[in-house]
Amino acid sequence: MMFWVVRKEAFPELFGGAGIGYRNLLSEGIIGRESWMKVLFAGKPIGYTYTRIDMNDSVTPGCTISSRAALTMNVLGAVQRISANAAATLDSAFQLNTFSCQFSTGNAKTQVRGLRRTDELFELTVDTDGSSSRSMQVKVPKDAVLYRGKGCRKCRGTGYHGRTGLYELLTTTDAVREPIRRLFTEAVGAATADPLVIAAGFYEVLKPALLAAYRHYLEVTDPLADWPSKKLVEDFVADEERHLREIAPHLAGVDAREWKLHLTQALDDLGGWLGQETRLPLAAGYVWQQDLTPYTHPATCNRAPYPVCSSVFGLDPREDPIVRPWLTDPQTDARVIRLMVYVWLMMEMDAIDYLATVFYDTPAAPFDLHHDLARHLWDESRHSQFGFRQLPKLGVDLKTVEHSLDLYHILVQMPPHERYAMMTMEFEANSFPTKATVMDRVRELNDFEADTLLAFDRNDEQNHVRYGHRWLPEMMAMFGEERPTEEFVAATREKFNRLAGLYGGRTPHSLPREQRLTGDKLRRIAGI
Ligand SMILES: [Fe+2]
Ligand SMILES: [Fe+2]
């Protein structure tokens, strides 16, 4: 309020008019009025205000003015939802009789109520967080001057361009909210070495809470106005329900009671993902595991019962399943190429592992960047499923297919923007010539399914390279990288090669060559 006064004095041109008392707010003969205003900050919507005026001419003549405002803004590093509700009643002579104002942000709530006692004297009560209450008397002159905003063309002269003090001092960002990040970091789990216990926490605490939040959304939104988002959320609900069904047999018999209770307490402290439930503050003795063991990216990938190795690409058909020269050799039987490309697709599991680390390492990234990373992750998981599903159909025992871990081991040594640069500008951007040859060869087989899967893979990869062009410069800026993109990518490639010498080739074969899948075995499986 103080800020606004300063603005008024310093920038009178922002205000389009003024009037004495409240009468000038109301035109003659209205019985009610409603108005909405969008609140923009740096061109981005961050909230709205809603004002409503109701004339009452029955029991107590006069009128009620109520106003609500909601804003999402960054307050001291945490993104918070701030809401304000204000109401005033005027008597039949348009004199202020009572007013109230409630302001809530995150955990803090303040309420101010005013009641006219004598001609100009109001009794004011201020409640903070329901715990402390103060009363005082203040003077509100009958002829208070009320200013009207000048507006602009967009709002047809109704808004307050340039007004609004407080939240311009605070910045809004898309940054991941700290309490939510904290809970996810906790759920990744440093407390137990058993990945099934960690999975139980994720699937039996975090995801059911997400499902509850989706259901809450469906309950509180308008079936017509919010139709499109409701239809989407209905799909999310179906997905979440399916995930719970699918995971159940894998978690049967896993004793995760203690860990689940630990996570439930942290979640209850937030009142659910949307804060829609009653908050149960954490007990004083609650110990965050991440405070004891800070999160770091895992040193290696978890492939559960499946065998692992450094790389599946090589030159020797007695050693490795994907024999590089075979991919483009016109003499190679197309059936062998199809098998090799499915192994290649299945290996994209590592892309999920290292791309996820980029996600985690960019908490302050714009929402759209994370949106594209999420899509990217999902694509890679489909690609690896293409191989996982098709190989057994063609006679390959998945327990003989080693998973290559080199890329993860090397990339995790590099900062996130370098990881992302290698992925999009190097691995993906350079995969097209070979993939085009491979697709042509596979087409000889008249295998509609293989053609379709490879076409999807190629389209997705084109998108991933587009994402790279779009986001790499922003990610570089995030990490203070100022070189031109091309120069940075070239230097990163050099660095990767250097690190490959240090961190690559360190994972021994889980299986001896007699047991593991190799190029020679693929020829035999293909019937050659
Ligand atoms: Fe892929
Ligand atoms: Fe990709």
Side-chain angles (χ1 to χ4, degrees), residues 21-26 30 33 35 50-56 62-68 85-91 94-96 98-101 146:
Y22 293 87
R23 182 181 288 275
N24 78 95
L25 284 178
L26 311 162
I30 64 158
R33 190 159 73 198
S35 64
Y50 166 69
T51 308
R52 182 187 170 104
I53 299 173
D54 291 297
M55 305 299 289
N56 351 297
C63 79
T64 312
I65 303 171
S66 44
S67 174
R68 301 163 72 94
N85 289 321
T89 55
L90 309 181
D91 64 16
F94 297 110
Q95 271 211 45
L96 184 62
T98 64
F99 63 86
S100 70
C101 172
L146 300 172

Side-chain angles (χ1 to χ4, degrees), residues 129-144:
D129 281 336
S131 53
S132 67
S133 181
R134 285 181 298 146
S135 289
M136 62 196 91
Q137 299 217 320
V138 293
K139 249 185 174 179
V140 180
K142 268 189 283 188
D143 55 354

Side-chain angles (χ1 to χ4, degrees), residues 348 380 383 457 461:
E348 295 192 13
E380 303 304 356
H383 300 165
D457 172 69
E461 295 308 336

Side-chain angles (χ1 to χ4, degrees), residues 280-292:
L280 297 171
L282 278 180
Y286 189 86
V287 178
W288 291 90
Q289 296 302 308
Q290 61 194 286
D291 291 343
L292 304 176

Side-chain angles (χ1 to χ4, degrees), residues 123-321:
E123 185 172 314
L124 210 66
T125 317
V126 182
D127 287 303
T128 311
D129 281 336
S131 53
S132 67
S133 181
R134 285 181 298 146
S135 289
M136 62 196 91
Q137 299 217 320
V138 293
K139 249 185 174 179
V140 180
K142 268 189 283 188
D143 55 354
V145 179
L146 300 172
Y147 293 96
R148 198 169 63 240
K150 197 172 185 180
C152 64
R153 265 168 53 198
K154 270 192 197 159
C155 65
R156 295 190 200 89
T158 59
Y160 291 86
H161 183 73
R163 182 196 139 180
T164 43
L166 224 41
Y167 48 83
E168 288 194 10
L169 302 173
L170 310 160
T171 52
T172 58
T173 70
D174 288 347
V176 178
R177 275 167 281 177
E178 193 45 44
I180 289 181
R181 179 176 169 85
R182 191 162 175 72
L183 183 45
F184 270 103
T185 304
E186 191 73 358
V188 175
T192 165
D194 184 351
L196 284 174
V197 170
I198 301 293
F202 192 76
Y203 276 91
E204 296 179 347
V205 180
L206 266 53
K207 277 168 77 73
L210 184 61
L211 179 56
Y214 287 146
R215 288 189 176 133
H216 173 77
Y217 179 87
L218 292 178
E219 267 169 39
V220 297
T221 46
D222 185 274
L224 201 53
D226 298 302
W227 178 269
S229 71
K230 284 192 108 135
K231 288 290 128 195
L232 264 182
V233 172
E234 280 168 11
D235 276 355
F236 299 163
V237 165
D239 274 347
E240 288 303 321
E241 287 170 342
R242 179 172 54 80
H243 294 172
L244 294 182
R245 275 197 311 275
E246 285 175 350
I247 201 73
H250 301 281
L251 296 177
V254 175
D255 181 7
R257 274 171 300 182
E258 227 175 292
W259 181 241
K260 280 161 60 179
L261 178 66
H262 179 74
L263 292 179
T264 303
Q265 286 167 335
L267 191 62
D268 286 349
D269 183 51
L270 298 181
W273 289 124
L274 293 176
Q276 79 276 20
E277 280 149 33
T278 313
R279 285 188 55 217
L280 297 171
L282 278 180
Y286 189 86
V287 178
W288 291 90
Q289 296 302 308
Q290 61 194 286
D291 291 343
L292 304 176
T293 315
Y295 173 78
T296 51
H297 297 311
T300 189
C301 311
N302 186 340
R303 290 292 179 271
Y306 296 100
V308 293
C309 67
S310 290
S311 173
V312 288
F313 286 89
L315 302 171
D316 186 346
R318 292 164 306 174
E319 289 287 336
D320 306 300

Side-chain angles (χ1 to χ4, degrees), residues 348 351 376 379-380 383 423 428 457 460-461 464:
E348 295 192 13
H376 196 160
D379 287 342
E380 303 304 356
H383 300 165
M423 182 173 194
E428 290 175 328
D457 172 69
D460 293 340
E461 295 308 336
H464 302 167

